[in-house]
Amino acid sequence: MNILETKNLKKSFGGVHAISDLSISFAKGKLTSVIGPNGSGKTTLVNVLTGMHAITGGAVVVGGKSFHAIRPESLPRLGITRTFQDVRLFEQMTVADNIMVALTARGPLAALLERGSADREERVKAVLEKIGLWEKRRELAYNLSYGQRKLVEIGRVLAMDVDIVLLDEPFAGLFKEMVRVIVGIIGELKAAGKTVLLIEHNMELIRELSDHVIVMDAGGLLAKGKPDEVLARRDVIEAYLGE
């Protein structure tokens, strides 16, 4: 069963077609990696799926319902969350409060007013312990290392506990030890039956984590299928690996 699909999806910026008639699907409870050379439209796809960019044409289908427009504030209701290439945290809030914000759809102020709720406090603690940052709970996000900031963003994904998780290059710039921490968290998401869309350039991680692989090139679909089969294709090697 496909929980997320695009139907002839188009996204243009002026005269530039960043996504062209893209029809792809993401199976429920599976991890699908979206790969392709720089400029192939991967991040644009995630931005369209999460309402950061308006849909130019076609539709996004979530849980069988078609959308010709998606608003970012509707994502919790649709069961979708994401991370960003450039980590986006509330810099002058503590690590714990950054997680707390993810527990309410009513905005940062409402989240902070509810911080005394025992169940929410327990949820924040559980998430921070899972990502290894409980000892940093009172630290301002501004003071964290790059890797720790990535973990807080992953922690917010865990706190939201939605069905569809879009991860835009979560391993970029991380040391090997931090990579393995996030690999473990992604494994737990898969084990919990979450649907994961992963954008990543590391082919070893793609092979390790993916159930399916989609290859984009010039805003369109180049290939899709099982990781080993797709990554062995000559057209994929030529487009993605530059051979």
Side-chain angles (χ1 to χ4, degrees), residues 40-48 53 82 85 168-169 199:
S40 60
K42 304 182 300 296
T43 292
T44 300
L45 171 64
V46 174
N47 286 339
V48 171
H53 294 330
R82 68 168 295 179
Q85 283 186 34
D168 194 354
E169 298 193 26
I199 294 179

Side-chain angles (χ1 to χ4, degrees), residues 17-229:
H17 302 293
I19 297 178
S20 303
D21 291 310
L22 184 66
S23 295
I24 56 176
S25 59
F26 300 90
K28 184 175 182 179
K30 302 296 184 181
L31 187 148
T32 302
S33 291
V34 179
I35 68 173
N38 290 332
S40 60
K42 304 182 300 296
T43 292
T44 300
L45 171 64
V46 174
N47 286 339
V48 171
L49 293 175
T50 56
M52 303 295 291
H53 294 330
I55 297 171
T56 302
V60 172
V61 183
V62 185
K65 183 176 181 181
S66 293
F67 295 88
H68 298 282
I70 294 178
R71 300 178 65 85
E73 58 268 28
S74 70
L75 294 181
R77 176 174 54 82
L78 295 175
I80 299 174
T81 190
R82 68 168 295 179
T83 64
F84 293 84
Q85 283 186 34
D86 52 333
V87 182
R88 302 183 183 186
L89 302 179
F90 295 99
E91 302 285 352
Q92 298 304 319
M93 289 169 54
T94 67
V95 169
D97 285 342
N98 266 275
I99 302 299
M100 182 69 75
V101 167
L103 295 175
T104 177
R106 299 199 297 276
L109 181 58
L112 297 182
L113 291 175
E114 294 176 0
R115 62 155 62 99
S117 169
D119 58 336
R120 291 183 184 273
E121 295 283 359
E122 284 301 312
R123 180 65 179 154
V124 169
K125 182 178 181 182
V127 168
L128 289 178
E129 287 180 338
K130 184 175 294 291
I131 64 175
L133 290 179
W134 175 244
E135 299 302 321
K136 295 280 186 179
R137 62 190 181 279
R138 296 188 180 90
E139 189 77 51
L140 293 181
Y142 177 82
N143 295 325
L144 297 179
S145 69
Y146 177 75
Q148 290 169 337
R149 292 163 62 83
K150 283 263 191 178
L151 285 176
V152 172
E153 191 164 54
I154 295 289
R156 294 198 301 199
V157 166
L158 296 175
M160 290 186 70
D161 192 28
V162 297
D163 293 325
I164 304 171
V165 178
L166 314 182
L167 303 175
D168 194 354
E169 298 193 26
F171 303 106
L174 298 183
F175 293 113
K176 183 180 295 186
E177 293 79 8
M178 197 72 75
V179 167
R180 298 320 303 177
V181 170
I182 295 180
V183 164
I185 291 172
I186 291 175
E188 291 183 16
L189 288 172
K190 291 179 62 177
K194 308 300 183 183
T195 302
V196 181
L197 185 164
L198 172 67
I199 294 179
E200 179 53 42
H201 291 286
N202 185 312
M203 292 300 103
E204 291 183 7
L205 291 172
I206 293 296
R207 292 180 190 275
E208 176 183 353
L209 295 171
S210 305
D211 296 300
H212 305 284
V213 173
I214 290 171
V215 186
M216 293 182 65
D217 190 29
L221 174 65
L222 176 61
K224 63 180 180 179
K226 297 294 184 181
D228 288 340
E229 297 171 0

